[in-house]
């Protein structure tokens, strides 16, 4: 399908290209392999109706095109797009319902998140970036298939309001943000933090865990 410019899409070409950019960036940054992971962004129409733009299922990122993104209503109805949406569509929708502040979701399957996830270990913030972007300790959902709305509701409930990510054991991470740029930064920060935390723990020492509400933020500092 090519974008029919005579019909105005609910999702701008710019947004579709931004999603594509972060899909490819997730592989470049080592957060995803092959066709793993998915991304969505919440959009609001002029009349206030909300929908999401989400990546299709099982399409190689090097051949993925802006017009391949799907626009899906909050009830799961596909409004635009010829391909199948990501299998985790119901989970994305559940997270958007639970967190009205979330404007974007990035799902990744990065290595060190999964190292801690398979051990059932929550990810404590030990790096500044992690505490600034993810806001706190990331909880772990026990393993199960992640393709239904009930899993999504429990995943969103476990994440709660205080932090911006949740680990799915034996699978990966779901990160939210007030923009796609910020949701992506959460995913990067959690993976980097997980790697450092893993190595620090292996060294036998006790890592210094940071708490968002206890770090002293200098006056004038620009926070995400
Ligand atoms: Zn996945």
């Amino acid at each position: 399908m090519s974008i029919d410019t005579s019909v105005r899409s609910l999702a701008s070409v710019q947004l579709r290209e931004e999603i594509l950019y972060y899909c490819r960036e997730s592989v470049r940054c080592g957060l995803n392999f092959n066709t793993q992971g998915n991304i969505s962004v919440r959009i609001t129409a002029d009349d206030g109706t909300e929908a999401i733009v989400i990546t299709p299922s099982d399409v190689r990122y090097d051949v993925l095109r802006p017009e391949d993104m799907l626009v899906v209503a909050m009830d799961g109805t596909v409004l635009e797009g010829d391909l199948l949406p990501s299998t985790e569509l119901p989970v994305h929708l559940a997270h958007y319902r639970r967190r009205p502040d979330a404007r974007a979701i990035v799902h990744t399957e990065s290595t060190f998140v999964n190292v801690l996830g398979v051990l059932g270990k929550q990810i404590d913030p030990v790096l500044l970036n992690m505490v600034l972007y993810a806001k706190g300790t990331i909880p772990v959902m026990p393993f199960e298939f992640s393709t239904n709305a009930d899993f999504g509701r429990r995943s969103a409930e476990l994440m709660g309001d205080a932090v911006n990510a949740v680990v799915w054991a034996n699978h990966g991470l779901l990160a939210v943000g007030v923009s796609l740029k910020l949701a992506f930064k959460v995913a990067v920060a959690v993976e980097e933090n997980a790697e450092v935390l893993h190595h620090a723990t292996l060294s036998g020492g006790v890592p210094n865990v940071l708490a968002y509400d206890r770090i002293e933020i200098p006056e004038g500092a620009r926070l995400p």
Side-chain angles (χ1 to χ4, degrees):
M1 160 195 149
S2 59
I3 294 175
D4 181 354
T5 49
S6 65
V7 179
R8 192 162 160 263
S9 169
L10 293 166
S12 67
V13 174
Q14 187 187 11
L15 175 58
R16 291 163 178 270
E17 285 176 346
E18 188 188 5
I19 294 171
L20 180 56
Y21 169 79
Y22 281 109
C23 285
R24 291 179 176 158
E25 192 69 355
S26 75
V27 176
R28 198 187 67 76
C29 294
L31 299 178
N32 280 319
F33 304 95
N34 200 359
T35 61
Q36 294 163 346
N38 40 61
I39 286 176
S40 69
V41 173
R42 192 200 303 253
I43 55 174
T44 308
D46 294 340
D47 66 359
T49 308
E50 293 197 321
I52 67 168
V53 187
I54 190 164
T55 45
S57 176
D58 201 29
V59 177
R60 277 171 34 199
Y61 289 148
D62 62 328
V63 298
L64 183 64
R65 304 168 303 168
E67 58 266 41
D68 294 332
M69 308 303 167
L70 293 105
V71 180
V72 181
M74 298 311 284
D75 67 2
T77 308
V78 174
L79 303 174
E80 293 180 25
D82 297 331
L83 302 176
L84 287 173
S86 162
T87 53
E88 276 140 4
L89 168 67
V91 179
H92 284 238
L93 291 171
H95 274 270
Y96 284 118
R97 283 190 204 101
R98 175 66 178 75
R99 282 281 294 266
D101 63 310
R103 300 299 299 184
I105 290 175
V106 174
H107 164 54
T108 54
E109 303 189 2
S110 56
T111 304
F112 285 93
V113 160
N114 279 330
V115 167
L116 299 182
V118 297
L119 295 168
K121 287 185 176 173
Q122 62 182 20
I123 305 178
D124 288 326
V126 291
L127 296 182
L128 180 60
N129 250 1
M130 163 89 171
V131 81
L132 289 180
Y133 289 106
K135 297 282 198 288
T137 296
I138 305 308
V140 186
M141 283 282 284
F143 172 73
E144 62 181 282
F145 262 78
S146 56
T147 51
N148 66 74
D150 184 55
F151 173 87
R153 275 190 293 276
R154 286 180 284 113
S155 170
E157 206 53 51
L158 184 64
M159 183 197 295
D161 295 316
V163 297
N164 289 331
V166 58
V167 173
W168 300 338
N170 310 77
H171 183 168
L173 183 84
L174 182 143
V176 303
V178 295
S179 66
L180 176 51
K181 182 180 168 185
L182 280 171
F184 191 79
K185 282 180 180 252
V186 172
V188 171
V190 176
E191 172 61 10
E192 185 190 10
N193 185 99
E195 182 170 3
V196 169
L197 179 59
H198 173 65
H199 289 299
T201 307
L202 280 186
S203 79
V206 179
N208 178 33
V209 175
L210 303 174
Y212 187 77
D213 50 8
R214 274 190 273 129
I215 52 172
E216 277 190 37
I217 297 161
E219 207 171 320
R222 281 184 297 135
L223 297 177

